[in-house]
Amino acid sequence: MWLNTGFIIVFATLFYHCSIVYGCHETERAALLSFKSLLTDPSNRLSSWQGESCCNWKGIKCSSSGHVVVVNLRNPNPIEVMININKEVVSNSSNTSDFSLKGTISPLLFTLDHMQHLDLSFNNFMFSKLPVEISNLTKLTYLNLSNAMFQDSIAMQFSNLTSLSYGHFSSPSLTWLQGLRRLRYLVLTGVDLSKASKSFHWAKPISSLSNLMSLQLSNCNISGRIPIGQLGNLTNLSTLVISSNVLTSSIPDLLSNITTLSVLDFSRNDLDGHIPYLPQLEELFVSSNPAMTIDLVSMFSVPWSKLTFLDISFTRVGGTIPPSLSNSTSLSFFRADGCSIQGSIPSSVTELKKLSVLMLNDNDITGQLPVSMSSLVSLQYLSLSQNRLQGHIPISICEIPFLEYVNLEWNDLTGRLPLCILQLPKLSSLYIQRNRLNGKMPLSLFRKSRLDEISLGTSGLSLEIDDPDQSFVQMFQPKILDFTSCNMRGEIPDFFSNFTSLVVLNLANNSLSGAIPHWLFNLPSLSILSLPMNNFKGVIPPMIQLKSSLFPTIVNLARNKLQGPIPTQLENVNVIDLTLNNFVGSIPTQIAEVPGIRSISLSGNKIHGPIPESFCQATNVLQVLDLSNNSLSGIIRRNLGNCKSLIYLNLGKTNLTGSVPKELERITSLRYLDLNGNQFEGSFPRVIKNFQDLEILNLAGNRFEGQIPNFISELYRLRILVLSSNTFNESIPEGLMKLENLQYIGLSRNNLSGPIPENLSGLKMMAKRQDEATILGYVYSLKFTGAQLEIVTKGQTHWLESVYSYNTGFDVSSNALTGKIPEKIGLLSGLPLLNLSHNNLSGLIPKTIGKMISLESLDLSYNHFTGEIPVTLTLLDFLQHLNMSYNNLSGKIPRNPHFDTLYQDGTTYIGNKFLCGAPDGMNCSNHGPSITEKIEDRYDQENVLFVVVIFFGFVTGISGLFLLLYLMKDNWRNNYWRAVDRIVLKIVNSVP
């Protein structure tokens, strides 16, 4: 009987507890339902929140007594909420809105006073205020409200949460921290502390947290010095992260006193000075502090025995990597990108047995790769791109068992690629493009490879399609294939159709031929298809379907021999480039209606008809539109003004007529405008005044007329201006010469008059020699769109497919300009091209032209220049073309070994009849006087004759006066001399 009673009591007790656990307290259940009622839940994460047993609801955990102790509603897929480089939300999910809870927070949530863990991070609470009732959660030990879009202003209610040991907050005030004595982990990432950090003692509330072990203050707009006075009190601190701020001091030596400190992150600040000796550190991150100077030799002259992670990227190093680096035997991660490191990689680096990541990209490292690379037994990630490494890739690289990633691109490596590298069991990424390797590689070598990413582009290797019909083993499923400039021949192999994981395929600049297989446009994972500069023929299918990704999707088939109509159905295509093919027909109306399309390049085909009205719908995001070199008709439609995102617009040589519509003024972001070679009429388009970001303007070869407006001097970013072959008149605007970025002025073949503006000092880009070969163009949606330019230099017309920063020029030929060449022309010392021919310029050629040390082509022909050719022109060592024909020059032609080579067949000086040595000029003897000397002698003779005549006239006049006075009566003569005396007396008295 007693056993039965005892059994009943135990059973009842268990039943009671179980009923609470699975049913939870009714008041707490109601509070959770109230919280849910104010939220929208696109992902149905709260779908289980129904029924009586709230302890079983998703994200909820209860204690043994049935009280809610954990509410974890963190967005489960925060990494999927990613923004691609086009600033669009991208996700693997089919519905990009299925991520976060949205709405406001119910105060009843904070009646759960037994709660110990609350995580609402990465949701969207619509910038609502956090209810003050949160202060009721006095048992809370973990709180994460990061990236939850609460209003920044959080009052003192946090100060009651005295049990907190972990806090991830969004409050710009720090005073509430003083009461949280138990806090061990504090994360304020992304909180704006710019105002708070202006105070010298801004970190004082943090200094009271004696138990703090981890402090993270990334991206908080903290400025000024590192507050070592307050941080030094945190004697238990293990992790200190103050990255992505505006700290300007050096790293304090006193940090060595915090002996518990193991992780220090000051990356992405403006720190200066050096790295103090902090032997207690295990991880040190100081990257992206460009003013910080790091002497690796000095740094590793002392032991860093605990150091495992070191990132000094984008700081000032400059010296070499010392052999003593190998003394840091615990080092597993070493990154020093962009540090101007010189010298070779010491062989002692291979003694770092624990090293798993070595990144030395973008330096000036020379020499060869260490021969004994196989000693790096733990190496997984090797990246040495953009250096000057030479020699062979050592075969010992094939003996590194855990190697997963190899990047040796943009170096000077030679020899053959060790083929055994393809068989490394864990290798997934191989980048060796832009080297000087040699040898042939059969494509069949990749058959059993596990590589995901392969880039051999422009490496010097030749890739052979040795068996196009072979069937590859299923294990070879690459995601990236870049075989640019690999001398590939034949057709695209059929087995490529099995690459179901392929995301990027780049076969540019090969000798591939035949038709592009239609299945290639429908590979399930393909996002980038780049096949330009081959010999593909035939038609492409009407439908092209790509897979959306973090990067823009691209179809690039430029510079082939493709035919037929332009495809009409594009799905998930952001960029399409069909330039320089043989496509026919009209521009499909559907191509401009593709959602998300950003770049359309159809230049150089056989397309006809008008620009479709479908272009530039209200929701368009078009940035690049190139329809140039086609046989279009009609006008520029007004609806193009709706393309407000347009950066690059090229309608050159398309047979368009009419005027430039005013509606284009809405395209305020335009940087490139080319309307050359059409039949546009009217005055200079005033709409251009609105393009304040304009860098390249080409209106050449139209029927524009009237004055070049003064507002062109307000286009401060203008780099290239071409207005040639129109009928512009009046003078050249003086403000044009104040555009500091202007590198090319092309005003030839117009009706301009007046002088060349005198003050040329504002043309800064023409005043210095451009040694860096920076190409002009724009990268949008991962595609480069470059500038093009037609120039007349060295007597010939040249078409520049690519325009570099050194392609500067000043061409005002074939106008009606008058006056002299400005003396300040010599300031343009960086100018290689100067063409002033076919004008009415006159006067002497200024000697200052000799200061234009970059001149390669000088044309002053068909003007009215007089005098001698300045001897200073012989100082122009780069001069290759000179034309001074048909002027009125005189004297001798200057002599110089280089200058003499410019004479050629004599046409350089023809049409100057007083110029000694010109084909039709004066026949001057080497021993006789020059034409200049003869002219000077004649001038001297005339001067002497003039003086003699004046002298005899003076003598005759004086003699006549005295003779007249002698013949006068005495009283007349006396009266004359008295009058003379009175005049002289008045003059004397008037002199002070």
Side-chain angles (χ1 to χ4, degrees):
M1 182 68 183
W2 180 87
L3 287 174
N4 290 338
T5 305
F7 175 78
I8 292 171
I9 294 173
V10 171
F11 178 80
T13 304
L14 289 174
F15 178 81
Y16 170 76
H17 283 293
C18 289
S19 64
I20 293 176
V21 170
Y22 291 103
C24 77
H25 292 269
E26 178 58 29
T27 55
E28 296 185 0
R29 175 180 170 276
L32 290 173
L33 290 176
S34 174
F35 170 71
K36 177 185 176 182
S37 67
L38 298 180
L39 301 175
T40 58
D41 180 19
S43 60
N44 291 320
R45 278 193 282 145
L46 305 183
S47 59
S48 64
W49 285 32
Q50 52 187 340
E52 300 296 325
S53 54
C54 71
C55 293
N56 289 333
W57 293 354
K58 187 173 182 179
I60 305 299
K61 290 183 180 180
C62 296
S63 66
S64 59
S65 59
H67 289 289
V68 174
V69 292
V70 173
V71 176
N72 184 1
L73 297 178
R74 176 186 174 91
N75 187 335
N77 298 312
I79 59 172
E80 292 187 8
V81 187
M82 300 184 71
I83 305 298
N84 68 11
I85 61 176
N86 288 329
K87 296 183 179 180
E88 297 169 333
V89 176
V90 178
S91 169
N92 294 328
S93 170
S94 59
N95 187 347
T96 57
S97 64
D98 292 349
F99 299 114
S100 59
L101 301 173
K102 298 180 178 65
T104 58
I105 195 165
S106 170
L108 291 179
L109 179 67
F110 304 122
T111 62
L112 306 177
D113 52 9
H114 288 79
M115 195 189 310
Q116 300 173 20
H117 181 113
L118 175 60
D119 191 341
L120 301 177
S121 59
F122 293 96
N123 288 292
N124 184 1
F125 289 99
M126 315 294 289
F127 297 100
S128 59
K129 287 187 177 182
L130 189 67
V132 296
E133 286 81 2
I134 193 174
S135 61
N136 298 332
L137 306 181
T138 56
K139 296 181 180 180
L140 203 63
T141 60
Y142 181 100
L143 175 62
N144 191 345
L145 303 179
S146 63
N147 296 286
M149 298 189 185
F150 284 113
Q151 211 176 78
D152 279 342
S153 57
I154 297 176
M156 296 294 292
Q157 59 263 38
F158 279 169
S159 60
N160 294 334
L161 308 181
T162 55
S163 297
L164 270 182
S165 61
Y166 180 99
H168 195 147
F169 306 111
S170 300
S171 171
S173 172
L174 298 179
T175 54
W176 52 271
L177 286 170
Q178 296 178 357
L180 306 180
R181 303 292 182 181
R182 298 183 183 181
L183 199 64
R184 291 185 295 166
Y185 303 93
L186 176 61
V187 181
L188 295 175
T189 300
V191 177
D192 188 358
L193 298 177
S194 56
K195 292 182 179 179
S197 64
K198 290 180 180 179
S199 170
F200 184 77
H201 300 290
W202 67 270
K204 186 176 180 181
I206 297 176
S207 66
S208 64
L209 307 177
S210 57
N211 291 313
L212 198 64
M213 298 174 62
S214 177
L215 175 61
Q216 299 186 36
L217 301 174
S218 296
N219 194 26
C220 294
N221 289 323
I222 299 171
S223 58
R225 305 180 66 83
I226 297 171
I228 185 59
Q230 292 85 49
L231 298 180
N233 298 330
L234 304 177
T235 56
N236 291 307
L237 195 64
S238 174
T239 299
L240 176 60
V241 180
I242 317 183
S243 60
S244 299
N245 285 287
V246 202
L247 297 172
T248 53
S249 65
S250 58
I251 300 177
D253 294 342
L254 292 176
L255 282 175
S256 60
N257 296 334
I258 308 178
T259 57
T260 56
L261 193 63
S262 61
V263 177
L264 182 62
D265 188 350
F266 284 135
S267 57
R268 297 180 297 280
N269 278 283
D270 292 326
L271 297 176
D272 53 23
H274 65 285
I275 297 176
Y277 183 43
L278 303 171
Q280 75 273 36
L281 288 186
E282 298 178 11
E283 300 179 14
L284 175 60
F285 304 92
V286 292
S287 63
S288 300
N289 284 284
M292 179 176 285
T293 302
I294 300 175
D295 183 351
L296 290 176
V297 175
S298 175
M299 179 178 176
F300 288 101
S301 63
V302 291
W304 294 71
S305 57
K306 296 182 179 181
L307 195 63
T308 59
F309 277 69
L310 177 61
D311 188 351
I312 59 172
S313 298
F314 307 107
T315 59
R316 294 181 184 177
V317 175
T320 62
I321 299 175
S324 56
L325 177 67
S326 61
N327 295 333
S328 300
T329 55
S330 298
L331 198 63
S332 64
F333 180 103
F334 180 40
R335 183 183 180 191
D337 297 341
C339 293
S340 302
I341 295 173
Q342 301 173 347
S344 59
I345 300 174
S347 58
S348 60
V349 168
T350 60
E351 299 174 13
L352 295 171
K353 305 299 182 183
K354 296 182 180 180
L355 191 65
S356 62
V357 174
L358 178 60
M359 301 174 65
L360 302 174
N361 304 303
D362 193 16
N363 284 288
D364 197 24
I365 299 173
T366 56
Q368 300 184 1
L369 291 169
V371 176
S372 57
M373 293 196 67
S374 57
S375 299
L376 295 170
V377 293
S378 300
L379 193 64
Q380 299 177 16
Y381 193 104
L382 175 65
S383 190
L384 306 174
S385 68
Q386 300 186 64
N387 282 285
R388 293 194 292 134
L389 292 168
Q390 300 173 332
H392 295 191
I393 300 174
I395 196 169
S396 61
I397 199 171
C398 300
E399 301 174 21
I400 305 176
F402 300 107
L403 198 58
E404 298 178 10
Y405 181 97
V406 175
N407 189 341
L408 302 175
E409 63 186 19
W410 291 89
N411 279 286
D412 294 319
L413 297 171
T414 55
R416 295 178 179 272
L417 176 70
L419 298 182
C420 55
I421 198 172
L422 301 178
Q423 308 307 323
L424 282 170
K426 294 186 177 295
L427 189 66
S428 61
S429 302
L430 177 62
Y431 292 87
I432 57 170
Q433 69 264 36
R434 298 285 178 173
N435 277 285
R436 295 190 293 117
L437 302 173
N438 57 61
K440 297 181 179 180
M441 287 187 63
L443 194 58
S444 58
L445 289 174
F446 296 98
R447 184 179 301 170
K448 296 182 179 180
S449 172
R450 296 182 180 274
L451 284 169
D452 290 333
E453 303 172 2
I454 308 171
S455 181
L456 310 180
T458 324
S459 63
L461 295 173
S462 296
L463 196 62
E464 289 185 324
I465 304 175
D466 50 336
D467 187 1
D469 298 324
Q470 64 183 317
S471 58
F472 268 39
V473 180
Q474 196 67 26
M475 72 171 64
F476 184 59
Q477 283 293 329
K479 296 179 180 178
I480 296 176
L481 283 181
D482 181 2
F483 295 150
T484 303
S485 303
C486 285
N487 297 316
M488 296 180 69
R489 298 180 182 277
E491 300 183 357
I492 296 177
D494 286 338
F495 61 78
F496 275 33
S497 62
N498 297 324
F499 294 160
T500 55
S501 299
L502 192 62
V503 177
V504 177
L505 177 61
N506 189 352
L507 304 178
N509 195 28
N510 283 288
S511 298
L512 295 169
S513 56
I516 301 175
H518 286 200
W519 49 257
L520 192 58
F521 297 99
N522 295 289
L523 286 177
S525 301
L526 195 65
S527 294
I528 296 178
L529 176 62
S530 182
L531 307 176
M533 293 177 284
N534 281 284
N535 297 311
F536 291 117
K537 297 181 180 180
V539 299
I540 58 177
M543 180 175 181
I544 298 176
Q545 183 176 10
L546 297 180
K547 172 71 173 177
S548 294
S549 72
L550 294 178
F551 303 102
T553 54
I554 299 175
V555 176
N556 188 350
L557 307 178
R559 298 175 183 269
N560 281 284
K561 300 175 182 178
L562 298 169
Q563 301 171 331
I566 294 170
T568 56
Q569 295 176 274
L570 303 177
E571 186 172 333
N572 294 326
V573 175
N574 298 134
V575 176
I576 184 166
D577 189 350
L578 305 179
T579 300
L580 292 174
N581 279 283
N582 295 312
F583 289 105
V584 296
S586 59
I587 302 173
T589 57
Q590 299 94 324
I591 196 171
E593 299 172 348
V594 177
I597 196 159
R598 294 179 173 274
S599 178
I600 301 174
S601 299
L602 306 177
S603 174
N605 283 283
K606 298 177 181 178
I607 303 170
H608 62 266
I611 300 173
E613 293 185 10
S614 59
F615 272 105
C616 303
Q617 299 298 318
T619 58
N620 83 90
V621 289
L622 196 64
Q623 293 179 315
V624 174
L625 178 60
D626 187 353
L627 306 178
S628 61
N629 295 285
N630 281 290
S631 300
L632 303 181
S633 59
I635 62 174
I636 299 179
R637 296 190 180 277
R638 295 178 178 179
N639 54 290
L640 282 185
N642 295 327
C643 285
K644 297 179 182 180
S645 301
L646 209 59
I647 304 291
Y648 182 105
L649 177 60
N650 191 345
L651 301 177
K653 298 181 181 179
T654 50
N655 295 329
L656 295 175
T657 60
S659 59
V660 180
K662 181 179 181 297
E663 285 74 12
L664 294 188
E665 67 184 8
R666 297 194 290 266
I667 315 176
T668 56
S669 58
L670 200 64
R671 299 173 67 180
Y672 185 109
L673 177 61
D674 190 342
L675 303 178
N676 91 90
N678 286 288
Q679 301 176 47
F680 295 120
E681 299 176 336
S683 58
F684 191 99
R686 293 197 60 82
V687 67
I688 293 175
K689 184 177 182 179
N690 296 280
F691 305 151
Q692 291 297 305
D693 292 331
L694 198 65
E695 296 180 350
I696 298 173
L697 175 62
N698 190 345
L699 303 180
N702 283 285
R703 299 175 183 174
F704 291 116
E705 60 186 6
Q707 183 183 14
I708 299 175
N710 290 325
F711 69 69
I712 201 166
S713 62
E714 299 172 7
L715 304 177
Y716 301 112
R717 298 188 178 183
L718 202 62
R719 298 193 65 166
I720 293 178
L721 174 65
V722 185
L723 305 179
S724 56
S725 299
N726 283 283
T727 54
F728 291 116
N729 55 28
E730 298 192 34
S731 59
I732 300 173
E734 292 191 6
L736 188 62
M737 306 304 161
K738 298 178 182 179
L739 296 177
E740 296 184 356
N741 295 310
L742 199 59
Q743 70 178 66
Y744 187 88
I745 298 176
L747 306 179
S748 62
R749 299 184 296 279
N750 279 285
N751 296 326
L752 298 172
S753 58
I756 299 172
E758 284 284 339
N759 193 356
L760 306 176
S761 59
L763 299 172
K764 303 296 185 183
M765 280 290 289
M766 300 182 187
K768 55 184 178 180
R769 187 174 180 85
Q770 304 297 319
D771 295 325
E772 294 185 5
T774 304
I775 191 169
L776 268 67
Y778 313 95
V779 177
Y780 296 107
S781 301
L782 291 186
K783 181 183 179 296
F784 177 79
T785 304
Q788 298 177 332
L789 181 64
E790 182 180 273
I791 64 173
V792 178
T793 179
K794 302 173 186 177
Q796 297 180 336
T797 301
H798 295 272
W799 176 254
L800 302 181
E801 286 282 351
S802 299
V803 181
Y804 292 86
S805 53
Y806 56 72
N807 293 131
T808 56
F810 192 109
D811 187 354
V812 293
S813 60
S814 300
N815 281 285
L817 299 175
T818 56
K820 299 179 179 181
I821 298 177
E823 287 288 333
K824 291 186 177 181
I825 196 75
L827 295 175
L828 309 184
S829 59
L831 198 68
L833 163 65
L834 178 61
N835 191 346
L836 308 180
S837 65
H838 294 85
N839 279 288
N840 296 317
L841 299 170
S842 58
L844 301 177
I845 298 173
K847 296 178 181 179
T848 53
I849 287 186
K851 297 180 180 180
M852 302 177 69
I853 56 175
S854 300
L855 266 185
E856 299 176 14
S857 177
L858 175 61
D859 194 343
L860 304 180
S861 61
Y862 290 93
N863 280 287
H864 307 294
F865 295 118
T866 57
E868 294 187 348
I869 299 174
V871 179
T872 54
L873 264 62
T874 63
L875 303 175
L876 303 177
D877 295 335
F878 293 102
L879 195 62
Q880 300 174 27
H881 176 80
L882 177 66
N883 192 349
M884 294 192 168
S885 61
Y886 298 99
N887 280 285
N888 296 317
L889 299 172
S890 58
K892 289 184 178 181
I893 298 174
R895 302 298 301 274
N896 175 282
H898 171 67
F899 201 72
D900 290 347
T901 63
L902 305 176
Y903 188 90
Q904 299 176 351
D905 57 354
T907 55
T908 297
Y909 306 109
I910 197 170
N912 290 280
K913 61 182 180 180
F914 296 117
L915 187 63
C916 293
D920 54 352
M922 301 287 292
N923 184 15
C924 305
S925 170
N926 290 334
H927 300 289
S930 67
I931 185 65
T932 305
E933 291 171 341
K934 291 179 179 180
I935 292 174
E936 289 177 352
D937 288 344
R938 183 184 301 174
Y939 177 77
D940 292 341
Q941 294 172 4
E942 291 175 351
N943 282 345
V944 171
L945 180 61
F946 177 75
V947 171
V948 170
V949 170
I950 292 297
F951 175 76
F952 278 108
F954 178 76
V955 171
T956 302
I958 294 297
S959 301
L961 176 61
F962 279 98
L963 180 62
L964 179 62
L965 292 176
Y966 177 76
L967 295 175
M968 287 180 178
K969 294 182 179 180
D970 289 342
N971 57 340
W972 288 4
R973 190 163 49 248
N974 292 335
N975 290 335
Y976 171 78
W977 288 116
R978 279 196 296 269
V980 171
D981 289 340
R982 283 195 298 270
I983 293 172
V984 171
L985 184 62
K986 288 181 179 180
I987 293 173
V988 171
N989 290 334
S990 66
V991 176

